[in-house]
Amino acid sequence: MEGEETYLDLFLARCAAQDDLALPRSPLLSPIVPYDVYIPNSSNPETTFNSQLEEVTEISGNFSSVDLSFLPDELTQENKDQTVIRSKHETEENCKTESWQSRLPLPSQQDVDLVLNSSGGSSSHSHLHPGDANSAQRSPEKPHSLPLASITPMTPVTPVSECSGIVPQLQNIVSTVNLACKLDLKKIALHAKNAEYNPKRFAAVIMRIREPRTTALIFSSGKMVCTGAKSEEQSRLAARKYARVVQKLGFPARFLDFKIQNMVGSCDVRFPIRLEGLVLTHQQFSSYEPELFPGLIYRMVKPRIVLLIFVSGKVVLTGAKERSEIYEAFENIYPILKGFKKT
Amino acid sequence: MASTSRLDALPRVTCPNHPDAILVEDYRAGDMICPECGLVVGTDENDLVPAFSFITAGDRVIDVGSEWRTFSNDKATKDPSRVGDSQNPLLSDGDLSTMIGKGTGAASFDEFGNSKYQNRRTMSSSDRAMMNAFKEITTMADRINLPRNIVDRTNNLFKQVYEQKSLKGRANDAIASACLYIACRQEGVPRTFKEICAVSRISKKEIGRCFKLILKALETSVDLITTGDFMSRFCSNLCLPKQVQMAATHIARKAVELDLVPGRSPISVAAAAIYMASQASAEKRTQKEIGDIAGVADVTIRQSYRLIYPRAPDLFPTDFKFDTPVDKLPQL
């Protein structure tokens, strides 16, 4: 999906820039790396790496600047499954090579990187994959011409058993924007296609467009709520389309303060879950009342996300303002859910 | 002669010889007596004398129960209770305001026929809403014959929630209903939300919302409901014999253990188990009847029944006497 590609590319570009800045080794950038695995610049990182890694084939050139051009463009929805499966193997590989470096519990930032890495696809390119915390580890190698060429990347730290390899799919994005002009809802309802306006029921025009398939609530104050998009870019695009419609009707519409208010994602852990066990151990976060709702409502504190966990293994995550929050929340809950797998 | 006053706080005096012994209140003389040695314990240690002496020197306690003569049958109407109703100190703060009762006799009426000192001044106006809620709770509990301990627990919960003021905007009746639900759960005899709805004017949705809010406000949690919690009540309401009730309990428990009904509400599973057990016995009940009692739709019973039907022979207890054999059970 085009939206996800742009998002990822932007994210990667940003992290690549940070990588460049972090070129001189500084352990401060990754405070969670334990000292015993810190690789000093002066020692021979190649030999240590070579001894540890089975798959070192060639010594590639100097990587002073990160080139993203050969990142795969296979971030479409259709390829998602394949990439997920493939990336699962890759992340396991990554995890194996990395586990000696730091046996750490999932730090949230690295989780994000790891997940993005899995969603990004092939590991052959992911040694360029930015991770702010990795930059310190990798930067010592950079001036010494990175021994690992195309295969095993420097992805963070999670041991094999904890990488989930599952990426939650975004299902709904709710955003608001201010058109900054008073609107005559009756005029809009009369002239616009696919608009409904029933002032006795609700004080806004409900407008729909087909591409991206979204619904907007347009209020007379000029504020608008856009719902139903599947990605941030789509939501923005749809909001712009609605603003254009309003503009074409003669109002001096602008596009101020576009903000994503809520993001909903869902995924499947592919095993049944013992909700009774989960509610017993995580009482302060969970609420499971089969009389009221068949799913368990888990209110995660950090990030502040609400997860609906069902017996079938389906998980719905909501309340996020950023995509990374959804990924982070899922990575946090996955090991917990694995502990309550029904045998 | 043991004390029967409600929820007594432990008095600070203890017997000097048995500091751990809980003192027994003697109603007749108003003393606190140590059960181990019989000493009458007062605040002044010098006055300790054994209880069998006629002259006691311990401090008299003030009986805060209602006056004794309330139950006399000889006097028909005039009830010479001079101390008023029993005090409820733990729930309303301080019943110590003055009330003027309705007058009898000519002197209490002024020239127009209106009573002087009309309307007894509102007492404890700060807790008027709370007293109202207590009355409502008692009414609701009375409708489903809940025992006094549940009502007391509900009152306590309501008081805690009310004092916290975190749910101040919600209807008091909704909070009272939710407190009643929580109290039943905490006492180990949960009532379904629908049962509480039946005696309250609040919707199930609102009671559910208040329930979650109260748990959060009081930072407590409740145990998960199980199928067995409802068996005795549902079966009694359906006039099913004990054998059928035990069989239904066994079926439901086994069904949950074998995970035949993942994700189904325990009430639905219980209803389906009752249906299966009753259909296998001489006392058959229709799905509609069970649905009415349990508060589940008969299609829900049908769905859960379909899930447990294939394993029916494994679910029945071994000593069950079948009136209808397992293979002849209705298949829906």
Side-chain angles (χ1 to χ4, degrees), chain A residues 276 283 288-292 311 342, chain B residues 181 185 192-193 204 221 224 259 266:
Chain A
E276 312 82 35
Q283 248 169 15
Y288 176 45
E289 283 299 319
E291 275 187 275
L292 295 176
V311 178
K342 266 196 204 170
Chain B
Y181 178 81
R185 269 264 216 149
T192 62
F193 276 107
K204 176 171 179 250
S221 67
L224 208 51
D259 198 28

Side-chain angles (χ1 to χ4, degrees), chain A residues 82-100:
Chain A
Q82 293 138 4
T83 53
V84 162
I85 296 165
R86 191 149 36 91
S87 57
K88 192 168 180 164
H89 296 308
E90 288 150 0
T91 50
E92 288 182 10
E93 229 177 34
N94 305 345
C95 299
K96 279 191 213 114
T97 59
E98 281 301 306
S99 50
W100 70 269

